[in-house]
Amino acid sequence: MFALQPSHIYMQQVATDKTQALQKLCEILVKDGLVTSEYLQGLNDRENQSATYLGQGIAIPHGTPQSRQAILQTGVRVAHFPQGVVWGENGEIVYLAIVISAKSDEHLQVLQQLTRSLMSDIAEKIQQANQPEQIISLLNAQPPSFMLHEDLIATQAPAFDVEDLFFYNNFLLKKQQCVTSEFHQLLRSDALIHIGEGVWSITGEKYVLKPAVSIVTPEQPLQFLNKTLSMLICIASNDNMDMIQFHHFMDTLFSPAKRQQLQSCQEATEIAQLLGATVNLNWVKRSVILQNAHGLHARPATQLAKLAQAYRGDIQVSVNGGEFVSAKSLTKLLSLGGQRGQTLTLLAEPETDAVAGLEKIIHAVRDGLGEVVEPFVPQNQTKANSPKTTEPVLNLTFDEEISGTPASKGLAVGTAHVVKPPVFNYERFADNVATETQKLKTAIENVQKQLQKLISEAENKDIAQIFTAHLALLDDPDLQHQVNKKLMQGLSAPCAWFEHIDDLAKKQASLDNPLLAGRAVDLRDVGNRVLAQLCGVKEVNEPTDAYILIMDDVAPSDVARLNKNRVAGILTAFGGASGHSAIVARALGIPAIVGAGKRVLDIAQHTPLLINGDTGDYVINPDETQISQAKQARQQAIEQRKQAQQHCLKPAITQDNHQVEVAGNIGAVQVTKEAVEQGAEAIGLLRTELIFMSYHTAPDIQTQELAYRQVFDALAGRPLVVRTLDVGGDKPLPYLPMPHEDNPFLGIRGIRLTLRQPLLLKQQLTALLKASDNRPLRIMFPMIARLEEWQQAKAILDEVRQDYPCENLQVGMMLEVPSSALLASTFAKEVDFFSIGTNDLTQYTLAIDRGHPVLSKEADGLHPSVLMLIDKTVQSAHQHGKWVGVCGELASDSQAVPILIGLGVDELSMSVTSIPLVKSQIRELNYQECQKLAQQALCCTTASEVRALIG
């Protein structure tokens, strides 16, 4: 649907007759770059076929299909004729002409919108209007309405009770902007009305933005008040409700025959057609699962946009049933934030070559859009995609220094070359639109030539692909169109360009996928290139001697220009290790540290620097001894890892014969083999949520069983410790929508979620027991904070074990919450083991978000308070003959290992790559000395004191 802006409306126009009015309308379209002058013939031909007068002083002139070749781009313009123009054969007077340049039948959308507003008497108000905003208000006047649409219907929803159905209904209504967030509180089970044949309804009359009806069916019929509930209809009503249409809908619903037909409907479209709801049947529709590991990021999005642009008709795309955007616009594709496992729905404009091209595009998406992808395992049951709520990523800038993140390995020594962000000076407004348009065109062409040169000269495939994506951004017709709109509003070329790029970059940065959000730097990189051309900003000259490049965040183009024989290393104030600059730095073999804080920008030019890309450490004004020591330390680390690798299959036994089990943490089942090869004596943590995240719907029992069997088979008799589904907080599932929480880390996550979805938990436990075949299986429940939670989860497992007995089974719990540690003596009587998740235990004990950009460095698991909780847990477990493992990051911290062993921890589980080094370290330790060290650590007052004990 077109959205009118004040700049689209031309007030106080004068024409003596319709012919002159059409001439004036065509001139407006030509002036705004929408059509060529030949379009006038199409306007006249249309009027000769049939007058375009609608009523209420409004006409909607548009060209014939034959005149579409004169259309440059689709658009709408409005001319206000307060003196009136005679339009039809019966002397109808037009005060407002809405002229359309449409490449297909888009004018029907405008017609549909206007016919609703024409239900009111607005001709006199239109004639007397003197501001564009008044015209828009009149055209947008809302008559009685009632939204009944396929987009408000969801089938096969994974619901286990009435509250789940309330959530889905509310979500559908919110998604279509029919209700506000408060509407959900009106949905109470005591307000449900039984209509018959499993159909129930509920009505809310507050917090309604526009009247509508949502319909949800569960996967399996529910039982409510001793009756079946197989469909819930939610009615959002207010004073604007179209009662005639609503009563017609209810008459249909109260027909027993119709209700019986509803029971056999499996798809939303079937229900929509049966109830007379609006469906989109004109456009050809196809769906495909996005399989790219990093989602719809720049490179695959570029390929998709190019494919779509090859066809004449329009192609629209959405992610998981969300908003549709043009597949021809790279910037809009990136804004979708599509992730692996989500469903792309594509629509092709009917009666165009886009329909034939749709199949080719579907195949291209399946093939990875130029990337190597791993296909999804087909599901046994087809489920409707559950809508996904997305929370914006918090983007803050801090003045405090934050720890540097190693981004590209290696040592580098050189003098500082600090490049601060360029300053662009320009006027906000300009007088001549044509001049500014030409300035922008020239600047873009110059940058395109720069990028083409960089691509042709690139020695590395990764660099070439990045700049190919940058080039595609500049070719994006939607990007140029949006900037041109700002130029038409009187903005200068640099201002119009910056404002639009800045808005796009902010939207990209707000995506909930960190990798896709990080691509905002590419938008700003391209934007700054063009802005530099417009403002005459020159590039900073590169030093002739070896140097360390220091910037706020190095853009890919900055890295690609680097002379590898001169630049020794890179140090940035911001950025992350997954950003394009880090990727390119690694590809070029340049040592790099990112995210080291604003303080690095204050380092004086030409100051000697030493950076360690392995550790993230850097030294200002290092002496020769420090440089020599750094080089020596790195060489020793390489040799140490090499030696550890050679002996990784040997057990981890201290010098005084105390053995500690060393296990691996994994998420992907395929990594099990690698873990064993690296010396893992068990899998101490299988993160099953990563298995669930690999699918666009919840994996069924058979699918899960196949995955778990792969792990058991690769372990060849070694124990497997499995954490049941742990989502929520920072790990949402796209098909398991959850209400917004102000603090999700203190909300519904881990066991709190699965106890509210007992069928989901029961299916996972069934799959695990079936896959084990009596091989050593250890099941643990995450985020247990209360005894009642443990007992409820254990009861569900006991129920499953009756059907699927497993003799070689232990049942334990993740210990991540201080309350559980304090009650360890109580829990120890019931569990078979504890596995301490030190990441979350530290986070909750110190009240520091472990991902906080400033405070995360202070969330140290060696803080005495955390060690005291670990000590209490170990003592309580050992008193009852139970074992304790640690599966958080602390397990592989070389300073923490001797203290954890000294506290009596029986098992250490860590990332696969850390296993050889930790086993090698344990062989050099003395258990009795570790015990003494642990007791000293418990007497410390700070984490720094604890680390100082070890040195």
Side-chain angles (χ1 to χ4, degrees):
M1 181 63 71
F2 298 114
L4 285 177
Q5 305 293 330
S7 60
H8 297 161
I9 300 177
Y10 291 76
M11 302 295 295
Q12 306 299 318
Q13 301 296 305
V14 177
T16 57
D17 55 28
K18 181 165 69 171
T19 300
Q20 189 178 22
L22 292 174
Q23 174 71 38
K24 190 173 290 289
L25 291 170
C26 187
E27 290 172 357
I28 290 173
L29 293 177
V30 171
K31 173 178 174 292
D32 286 356
L34 300 179
V35 302
T36 63
S37 57
E38 288 76 14
Y39 192 62
L40 178 60
Q41 185 62 48
L43 293 175
N44 284 310
D45 290 346
R46 172 62 72 186
E47 294 297 333
N48 291 333
Q49 293 173 7
S50 60
T52 56
Y53 180 77
L54 288 181
Q56 293 299 328
I58 299 176
I60 182 170
H62 52 279
T64 61
Q66 293 75 25
S67 65
R68 287 175 183 168
Q69 60 187 3
I71 297 174
L72 301 178
Q73 59 183 351
T74 296
V76 175
R77 294 296 182 267
V78 179
H80 178 229
F81 298 99
Q83 298 176 15
V85 178
V86 177
W87 208 267
E89 295 179 353
N90 298 322
E92 296 94 341
I93 305 298
V94 165
Y95 301 110
L96 202 68
I98 302 174
V99 63
I100 301 169
S101 63
K103 294 183 178 181
S104 61
D105 291 331
E106 289 134 314
H107 67 283
L108 297 177
Q109 295 178 326
V110 178
L111 181 62
Q112 184 181 22
Q113 172 79 0
L114 290 174
T115 52
R116 282 190 166 273
S117 62
L118 294 180
M119 294 175 68
S120 303
D121 188 2
I122 61 174
E124 184 176 351
K125 295 178 181 178
I126 288 175
Q127 181 186 14
Q128 296 174 356
N130 52 35
Q131 296 292 333
E133 289 78 5
Q134 293 174 280
I135 298 294
I136 293 176
S137 177
L138 290 168
L139 295 181
N140 288 337
Q142 292 297 315
S145 65
F146 175 63
M147 186 174 180
L148 182 61
H149 195 281
E150 179 183 354
D151 291 343
L152 285 170
I153 302 173
T155 60
Q156 300 294 305
F160 301 98
D161 54 31
V162 173
E163 293 296 328
D164 287 343
L165 292 181
F166 286 161
F167 172 81
Y168 276 93
N169 275 278
N170 182 67
F171 184 91
L172 293 171
L173 291 166
K174 280 177 59 181
K175 184 177 177 182
Q176 298 300 323
Q177 298 181 333
C178 298
V179 300
T180 65
S181 300
E182 295 82 1
F183 182 78
H184 187 265
Q185 69 190 46
L186 303 178
L187 307 181
R188 303 191 314 273
S189 57
D190 58 1
L192 282 172
I193 297 175
H194 185 224
I195 296 176
E197 280 81 29
V199 180
W200 294 68
S201 72
I202 189 168
T203 302
E205 297 181 346
K206 294 181 180 179
Y207 315 114
V208 177
L209 301 176
K210 55 186 177 185
V213 165
S214 64
I215 302 171
V216 176
T217 67
E219 286 179 313
Q220 301 294 332
L222 306 178
Q223 290 299 310
F224 181 72
L225 297 180
N226 297 322
K227 292 183 174 66
T228 299
L229 196 165
S230 57
M231 176 179 291
L232 178 59
I233 297 173
C234 184
I235 303 164
S237 175
N238 65 12
D239 293 340
N240 291 325
M241 172 75 84
D242 186 335
M243 297 308 297
I244 295 177
Q245 185 184 1
F246 175 68
H247 286 312
H248 176 72
F249 165 73
M250 294 303 294
D251 288 343
T252 302
L253 199 61
F254 274 101
S255 164
K258 288 288 186 182
R259 291 200 303 273
Q260 289 179 0
Q261 287 179 272
L262 284 174
Q263 302 302 311
S264 62
C265 293
Q266 298 295 319
E267 302 293 337
T269 302
E270 294 180 73
I271 297 175
Q273 292 175 317
L274 187 62
L275 295 178
T278 303
V279 294
N280 296 320
L281 297 178
N282 293 331
W283 288 54
V284 179
K285 181 178 180 181
R286 291 293 308 277
S287 295
V288 61
I289 303 301
L290 186 63
Q291 300 180 117
N292 299 70
H294 301 304
L296 197 61
H297 63 99
R299 276 174 276 179
T302 300
Q303 293 298 317
L304 179 54
K306 284 184 176 180
L307 284 170
Q309 290 166 8
Y311 301 102
R312 176 176 53 83
D314 192 14
I315 298 174
Q316 299 277 315
V317 62
S318 75
V319 171
N320 273 18
E323 175 189 8
F324 279 93
V325 303
S326 172
K328 299 182 179 182
S329 169
L330 178 58
T331 51
K332 288 190 175 179
L333 286 176
L334 289 173
S335 71
L336 289 174
Q339 300 181 34
R340 172 176 167 84
Q342 293 186 321
T343 300
L344 299 185
T345 301
L346 293 108
L347 300 176
E349 183 179 355
E351 300 180 6
T352 69
D353 63 352
V355 175
L358 194 59
E359 194 64 32
K360 294 181 180 179
I361 292 176
I362 291 293
H363 281 297
V365 175
R366 285 178 182 151
D367 291 340
L369 294 166
E371 292 188 330
V372 178
V373 296
E374 294 184 5
F376 282 95
V377 179
Q379 298 298 290
N380 293 336
Q381 298 176 356
T382 302
K383 303 171 186 177
N385 288 324
S386 302
K388 174 177 181 278
T389 54
T390 55
E391 300 300 333
V393 175
L394 188 64
N395 290 295
L396 299 176
T397 300
F398 295 91
D399 293 329
E400 298 92 343
E401 179 185 355
I402 58 178
S403 58
T405 301
S408 182
K409 291 182 178 296
L411 286 175
V413 179
T415 57
H417 175 51
V418 184
V419 179
K420 295 187 178 181
V423 177
F424 300 112
N425 295 313
Y426 52 82
E427 296 293 333
R428 177 169 176 77
F429 298 102
D431 296 328
N432 193 311
V433 175
T435 300
E436 296 304 302
T437 302
Q438 184 58 46
K439 283 183 183 178
L440 181 61
K441 180 181 178 183
T442 302
I444 291 176
E445 288 174 350
N446 289 340
V447 172
Q448 286 172 327
K449 291 176 183 176
Q450 292 177 0
L451 292 172
Q452 288 165 350
K453 185 172 184 291
L454 286 169
I455 293 169
S456 64
E457 296 177 352
E459 299 177 4
N460 185 278
K461 180 181 69 174
D462 290 333
I463 296 174
Q465 288 177 332
I466 289 170
F467 288 118
T468 299
H470 285 198
L471 194 60
L473 282 169
L474 291 179
D475 288 334
D476 187 348
D478 184 72
L479 173 66
Q480 297 182 25
H481 174 63
Q482 296 299 327
V483 177
N484 286 337
K485 286 168 61 177
K486 292 181 178 294
L487 293 175
M488 297 302 301
Q489 296 170 7
L491 296 182
S492 67
C495 182
W497 177 259
F498 170 76
E499 286 192 359
H500 186 59
I501 290 293
D502 186 56
D503 182 57
L504 287 177
K506 287 177 180 176
K507 289 179 180 178
Q508 188 72 25
S510 70
L511 297 177
D512 63 350
N513 182 322
L515 182 70
L516 295 176
R519 296 291 87 92
V521 70
D522 295 290
L523 285 166
R524 296 196 185 279
D525 189 10
V526 174
N528 285 344
R529 277 183 170 274
V530 175
L531 205 55
Q533 288 281 327
L534 290 169
C535 299
V537 174
K538 304 295 182 183
E539 293 183 4
V540 179
N541 292 328
E542 183 182 15
T544 56
D545 298 325
Y547 66 90
I548 305 293
L549 176 64
I550 302 176
M551 297 184 70
D552 57 347
D553 190 7
V554 181
S557 58
D558 296 317
V559 179
R561 284 198 302 269
L562 300 177
N563 185 328
K564 289 189 292 182
N565 297 322
R566 291 180 184 172
V567 62
I570 297 171
L571 178 62
T572 73
F574 306 109
S578 62
H580 267 169
S581 56
I583 293 171
V584 176
R586 288 192 288 269
L588 295 176
I590 300 173
I593 299 172
V594 297
K598 277 189 175 181
R599 194 174 76 89
V600 299
L601 298 176
D602 296 327
I603 296 175
Q605 294 283 14
H606 312 301
T607 300
L609 278 175
L610 164 67
I611 71 170
N612 188 336
D614 293 14
T615 64
D617 297 328
Y618 65 93
V619 181
I620 300 173
N621 289 311
D623 55 33
E624 288 301 323
T625 301
Q626 289 174 307
I627 295 173
S628 176
Q629 289 175 343
K631 291 180 178 179
Q632 184 180 0
R634 185 164 191 268
Q635 188 58 42
Q636 287 177 346
I638 294 173
E639 184 61 30
Q640 184 182 20
R641 175 167 286 279
K642 181 179 178 181
Q643 292 293 326
Q645 192 72 43
Q646 292 177 354
H647 302 284
C648 66
L649 298 180
K650 295 180 179 180
I653 303 176
T654 64
Q655 293 179 346
D656 51 348
N657 208 34
H658 176 79
Q659 185 168 353
V660 179
E661 185 175 73
V662 178
N665 297 341
I666 65 171
V669 297
Q670 299 85 355
V671 182
T672 313
K673 181 180 178 182
E674 181 187 351
V676 172
E677 291 172 349
Q678 292 292 322
E681 297 161 350
I683 292 300
L685 171 61
L686 173 59
R687 301 182 180 95
T688 58
E689 63 273 9
L690 300 186
I691 296 174
F692 279 74
M693 289 176 181
S694 297
Y695 299 95
H696 65 285
T697 58
D700 56 28
I701 294 174
Q702 182 180 357
T703 302
Q704 291 186 63
E705 182 185 349
L706 290 173
Y708 302 142
R709 281 188 180 277
Q710 291 182 53
V711 181
F712 278 112
D713 293 345
L715 282 173
R718 297 173 180 84
L720 169 61
V721 181
V722 179
R723 179 173 70 190
T724 60
L725 183 61
D726 184 16
V727 293
D730 59 340
K731 294 175 291 189
L733 278 179
Y735 49 80
L736 191 61
M738 297 174 60
H740 168 73
E741 294 183 302
D742 290 336
N743 193 334
F745 287 99
L746 298 181
I748 299 176
R749 59 172 302 204
I751 198 65
R752 297 171 181 172
L753 174 65
T754 51
L755 286 178
R756 287 167 172 78
Q757 303 282 355
L759 181 58
L760 201 63
L761 179 59
K762 187 177 292 185
Q763 288 177 341
Q764 181 178 28
L765 295 173
T766 300
L768 284 167
L769 293 178
K770 291 179 67 177
S772 70
D773 290 335
N774 285 325
R775 290 174 284 190
L777 172 61
R778 318 288 183 248
I779 294 176
M780 60 183 180
F781 300 110
M783 283 296 295
I784 296 289
R786 298 178 299 117
L787 184 62
E788 300 93 320
E789 293 169 337
W790 159 260
Q791 292 170 337
Q792 291 171 32
K794 183 65 164 47
I796 294 174
L797 176 57
D798 289 341
E799 181 183 343
V800 175
R801 291 178 70 179
Q802 293 179 7
D803 296 324
Y804 303 98
C806 179
E807 296 177 4
N808 200 345
L809 174 67
Q810 292 182 7
V811 187
M813 59 181 272
M814 288 280 286
L815 199 145
E816 306 160 275
V817 184
S819 62
S820 297
L822 294 172
L823 286 174
S825 59
T826 300
F827 281 108
K829 299 173 185 177
E830 305 209 9
V831 304
D832 293 323
F833 67 93
F834 291 113
S835 184
I836 302 174
T838 53
N839 299 351
D840 270 331
L841 182 60
T842 303
Q843 171 176 255
Y844 292 125
T845 302
L846 299 180
I848 295 177
D849 182 350
R850 68 189 191 201
H852 195 281
V854 173
L855 300 176
S856 59
K857 195 172 183 179
E858 299 175 19
D860 192 334
L862 284 182
H863 192 279
S865 60
V866 179
L867 295 180
M868 289 177 186
L869 293 175
I870 295 174
D871 180 53
K872 180 175 179 58
T873 302
V874 173
Q875 289 189 36
S876 299
H878 288 178
Q879 285 173 4
H880 292 84
K882 311 299 172 64
W883 64 271
V884 178
V886 169
C887 62
E889 291 180 10
L890 211 61
S892 59
D893 186 328
S894 60
Q895 290 185 302
V897 167
I899 294 178
L900 293 175
I901 292 175
L903 289 174
V905 170
D906 304 288
E907 177 223 54
L908 297 175
S909 189
M910 63 208 65
S911 62
V912 171
T913 56
S914 299
I915 292 172
L917 286 172
V918 171
K919 293 182 77 172
S920 177
Q921 181 186 6
I922 293 173
R923 296 189 199 107
E924 299 297 322
L925 297 175
N926 180 286
Y927 181 50
Q928 292 184 4
E929 292 179 0
C930 290
Q931 289 177 310
K932 294 176 183 177
L933 181 66
Q935 293 307 309
Q936 291 175 341
L938 292 172
C939 295
C940 291
T941 57
T942 67
S944 300
E945 286 183 31
V946 175
R947 292 193 178 275
L949 288 174
I950 302 143

